[in-house]
Amino acid sequence: MASSSIKRLAVTLMEASTDKDPDVQEQIYSSLCFMGETAPKEVLEACDSYLRQHDKLVSTHRAIILRAMETVVRNSLNDLREETARVTILLASSEITKSKDVIFEWQQAASSVLVAVGRRFINSVMEEILLKFQPGILPHFFIMQTLANLSVANVFGMVPFLNSILGTMLPMLGMAKQDPMKAVFCVALQHFSESIQEYLANLDKAPDPTVRKDTFSSDLFNAYDILFNNWLQNRESKVRLAVVEALGPMSHLLPNEKLEEQLPRLLPGILSLYKKNVEPFYVTKSLCQILESAVSNESRTLEPLIDSVLSVLHTQICSSMEAPTQMLARNRNEALRCFTVLASIFPDHLLSFLLPKLETNNPKTRVGTLVVLKQVINSAASLMEGKKVLILAAVRPPLQDGSNQVRKAMVQLISAMAHHRYLEQPGGEVMLEYIIRLCCITPQSSPRRQNSQQEEVTEESVRRISINTLYLISTTVERMSHILWPYLLEFVVPIQFTNALTPVCKSLVHLGQKKQEEGVEQLLINYNVNVNLPSPHALFSRLLVVSASLEPSDGRNAAALRLLSIMQINIHPTIGQCWEQDIPPLLHFLEETNDKLHQQTAWEERLLKVGGAACGEEGLLEVGEQPAGKRDY
């Protein structure tokens, strides 16, 4: 299609953009974008020409065309010629400042065009913007918004400009009287700080590797002084929120001595915001960044403040467990990051704060504490190495808690413990038995409906997570195999663990197969050492009886048969060949037969043949024969 034809078609589409139907407007936007995929230069030039010729076109329709231009630029940036980029920059800059008032949809679209072009042509964009960013004159709201967004869209391109931008901007902070202007200055300072941090973290790739933190520290401290001491007390919540979001990234760039000097005021000031009308997530995110700055600065003034910080963070964790909203979940994650930061420098202080809270009978407090403890175990493993026995002893009180939320949190904590070798310590078996007991839960047929969202965790979900955790520990935590084998056999025979037989047997089968691969000696069980295990004939009888029922349909019978097959050498060495022939067909029957209930009698007869062969002259231990040191079941 010829260039002139494309431009005429683009103009025809834009003329239709005055249609008031939103669906029609979106279709026009999509059509312009589609044309721009094959002819970006022609479409951008047509849009530029049309907007300049139709100066009175209303802002909503101008926004549609500018949105299309931004998409075309973004999708064809690598192929865009400099002259086309220049035309687009001049138009977008003009559109931003055409009205002194803030008309969000229109001016945001124009700003987005400049940001898109600035990803590649940063010098041309900045040359135009800086003409409208002059000392002593408050810039347009969207000029500041554009500078802010450019700084994160093109870090390496923008950071070299930031020193002079900050120098021009600082006197403007005192001139800003309107809340929207204060808010956008905060956004700019936030993004400038984030951009500088990214630049400094990637100096090996940066165009100017001589850039240092102290290049910006003095200016950012002066800005911090205004934001913290004046704007943070603003009545408008949007301004307070913008200040909070800016202070976190700015703290990383403050002079070290200034940060140390400010911490005794800064931290209480941030913590006090939880009592005001500010979304907690943003407060916690900023708090975490400030804590990271203080820790990296090896702060000496942080320790006297630690108790108040821990108390507030713990409250945030506990509160976030009440309702599963997205913002509460994000706030919880940020609070957990704070605990990770503090654990890296105050591990003993942190544990002395957390562990006594496990003795409370308040489920919400226990759940929050268990969640934090799991985070610390995972994120500060080396620092917790010498405290494993202490932690194992401290987590015993929640084992008696009947709250499903506490049970779930406890199982998740035990899973983390297993991965970090806690369960190999004295007391570790208590944690394993706890999980197995939860696998035995029989959910009520008509569970009572709870009013509180906190009690949405059901007995069935607790049982399910316990089963999954037991199998996960058995199959993925390599060093747990010598703990679980043959220990799990203790739970096969006792009647109270019947409901846990399926996961227990499955875990034992996996562990036994691994032992087989390592050699027969690894599979053999020394009954004189493992004195609490069931005797071979008790184990054989139990697994055979469990296999005999075709109900319940939870795979219990198949799991029992597989374990019987794995255990043959530990039950009696002479029955291996017999079972190798008989058990696979039985398993095949369970897997392939649909109408099992009507074949219960036939199934029992087949099992009796296996049992009879095992108990024959060459079979199982005679009744009463039992290895020394065994306890009866």
Side-chain angles (χ1 to χ4, degrees), residues 381-449:
S382 59
L383 295 170
M384 297 294 119
E385 190 64 36
K387 310 179 192 307
K388 291 178 178 178
V389 175
L390 171 67
I391 293 172
L392 277 168
V395 299
R396 285 202 174 202
L399 299 181
Q400 310 304 319
D401 198 312
S403 162
N404 288 329
Q405 282 246 346
V406 173
R407 288 169 165 178
K408 178 181 176 182
M410 193 68 216
V411 171
Q412 291 171 332
L413 174 65
I414 293 171
S415 178
M417 287 178 159
H419 283 82
H420 293 284
R421 309 190 71 167
Y422 281 68
L423 304 189
E424 301 168 40
Q425 304 292 324
E429 290 181 351
V430 174
M431 303 297 145
L432 289 170
E433 182 173 339
Y434 176 76
I435 288 183
I436 294 169
R437 289 187 181 278
L438 292 182
C439 292
C440 298
I441 292 175
T442 304
Q444 298 176 359
S445 56
S446 55
R448 180 168 54 91
R449 187 179 296 275

Side-chain angles (χ1 to χ4, degrees), residues 156 159-160 198-216:
F156 289 148
V159 167
E198 185 174 342
Y199 191 100
L200 294 175
N202 295 279
L203 279 176
D204 55 325
K205 303 174 186 175
D208 181 5
T210 64
V211 173
R212 293 291 180 266
K213 168 183 167 179
D214 54 17
T215 306
F216 312 96

Side-chain angles (χ1 to χ4, degrees), residues 59 93-108 110 138-143 178 180-181:
S59 62
S93 174
S94 172
E95 292 290 310
I96 284 178
T97 55
K98 195 179 288 289
S99 170
K100 291 183 180 180
D101 297 328
V102 174
I103 305 174
F104 192 87
E105 184 181 9
W106 168 31
Q107 292 160 343
Q108 178 63 69
L138 272 179
H140 191 283
F141 177 95
F142 270 101
I143 290 295
Q178 301 298 318
M181 206 65 213

Side-chain angles (χ1 to χ4, degrees), residues 300-455:
R300 295 180 180 179
T301 60
L302 183 57
E303 188 167 8
L305 304 166
I306 193 69
D307 284 328
S308 58
V309 174
L310 289 173
S311 179
V312 172
L313 285 172
H314 188 266
T315 300
Q316 289 300 307
I317 292 285
C318 295
S319 299
S320 71
M321 311 303 296
E322 292 179 353
T325 67
Q326 183 180 12
M327 290 306 292
L328 278 176
R330 294 176 71 187
N331 185 47
R332 178 172 65 250
N333 291 337
E334 287 299 322
L336 289 173
R337 282 186 57 219
C338 291
F339 278 106
T340 296
V341 173
L342 295 173
S344 68
I345 191 169
F346 302 119
D348 293 325
H349 202 134
L350 181 58
L351 287 182
S352 65
F353 170 82
L354 286 175
L355 298 185
K357 294 187 180 298
L358 293 173
E359 297 176 7
T360 178
N361 289 323
N362 185 324
K364 187 168 72 171
T365 300
R366 272 184 169 162
V367 170
T369 306
L370 291 170
V371 168
V372 174
L373 203 52
K374 183 188 75 170
Q375 173 78 8
V376 171
I377 285 173
N378 283 328
S379 62
S382 59
L383 295 170
M384 297 294 119
E385 190 64 36
K387 310 179 192 307
K388 291 178 178 178
V389 175
L390 171 67
I391 293 172
L392 277 168
V395 299
R396 285 202 174 202
L399 299 181
Q400 310 304 319
D401 198 312
S403 162
N404 288 329
Q405 282 246 346
V406 173
R407 288 169 165 178
K408 178 181 176 182
M410 193 68 216
V411 171
Q412 291 171 332
L413 174 65
I414 293 171
S415 178
M417 287 178 159
H419 283 82
H420 293 284
R421 309 190 71 167
Y422 281 68
L423 304 189
E424 301 168 40
Q425 304 292 324
E429 290 181 351
V430 174
M431 303 297 145
L432 289 170
E433 182 173 339
Y434 176 76
I435 288 183
I436 294 169
R437 289 187 181 278
L438 292 182
C439 292
C440 298
I441 292 175
T442 304
Q444 298 176 359
S445 56
S446 55
R448 180 168 54 91
R449 187 179 296 275
Q450 303 288 345
N451 294 325
S452 171
Q453 293 186 34
Q454 186 179 358
E455 289 298 329

